[in-house]
């Protein structure tokens, strides 16, 4: 397990953070701004950096990038009134988002095999939960029970 596993369990990007609250990376970014962790320039605030809510992890090409402390930020988000999803519901949310993206790609390319393969891979026991998220995401896609 070692260092890499520990890093991955502690530090996440906004997309991964949002998954646990049923929110997109953009919505999480707006919430982080409301909580004073991101400034008007959409960069982490001095507070976010100095109090360990995030850390700089520049991309290989030097582009600035920041990872968020999953535990600290999740606690702050919960204390601000957001409900954290269960593991199963977070997975259903992620599946619904992936299906929406695959359907969009299928519409744009005319190639829908991947989309139908993905639908077939969703276990029947999870379909009701995925359908709820599809509806919340504004998608017309529904999986058969």
């Amino acid at each position: 397990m070692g260092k890499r596993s520990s890093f991955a369990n502690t530090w996440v990007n906004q997309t991964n953070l949002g998954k646990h609250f049923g929110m997109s990376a953009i919505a999480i970014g707006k919430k982080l701004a409301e909580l004073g962790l991101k400034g008007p320039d959409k960069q982490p605030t001095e507070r976010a950096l100095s109090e360990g809510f995030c850390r700089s992890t520049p991309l290989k090409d030097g582009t600035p990038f920041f990872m968020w402390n999953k535990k600290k930020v999740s606690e702050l988000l919960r204390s601000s009134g957001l409900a954290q999803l269960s593991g199963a519901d977070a997975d259903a949310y992620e599946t619904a988002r992936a299906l929406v993206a695959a359907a969009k790609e299928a519409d744009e390319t005319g190639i829908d095999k991947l989309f139908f393969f993905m639908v077939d891979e969703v276990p029947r026991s999870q379909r009701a939960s995925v359908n709820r998220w599809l509806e919340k995401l504004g998608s017309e896609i529904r999986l058969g029970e």
Side-chain angles (χ1 to χ4, degrees), residues 12-138:
V12 296
N13 61 25
Q14 285 181 204
T15 299
N16 195 323
L17 188 58
K19 172 185 172 182
H20 298 284
F21 289 90
M23 299 172 72
S24 69
I26 292 170
I28 281 291
K30 289 177 182 177
K31 190 65 177 175
L32 293 172
E34 287 174 22
L35 296 171
L37 298 180
K38 288 185 94 174
D41 60 357
K42 298 185 181 181
Q43 297 299 308
T45 60
E46 183 56 41
R47 172 187 174 221
L49 292 163
S50 67
E51 294 181 20
F53 286 101
C54 76
R55 69 183 282 178
S56 175
T57 55
L59 302 179
K60 288 181 182 180
D61 67 1
T63 303
F65 190 77
F66 297 89
M67 299 289 282
W68 296 89
N69 184 302
K70 182 168 55 174
K71 182 179 178 186
K72 285 186 80 161
V73 176
S74 291
E75 287 171 0
L76 188 61
L77 292 170
R78 285 191 305 272
S79 71
S80 77
L82 289 181
Q84 190 164 354
L85 303 178
S86 68
D89 214 21
D91 289 343
Y93 170 72
E94 191 64 20
T95 298
R97 284 180 45 95
L99 287 169
V100 169
K104 180 180 178 192
E105 186 174 330
D107 284 345
E108 292 171 356
T109 64
I111 302 171
D112 58 7
K113 288 181 182 179
L114 177 62
F115 173 75
F116 287 111
F117 177 75
M118 288 176 66
V119 168
D120 288 344
E121 291 297 308
V122 177
R124 295 219 180 270
S125 61
Q126 295 174 2
R127 291 185 177 201
S129 184
V130 171
N131 280 338
R132 282 191 299 278
W133 280 109
L134 287 166
E135 185 176 354
K136 286 181 184 179
L137 292 170

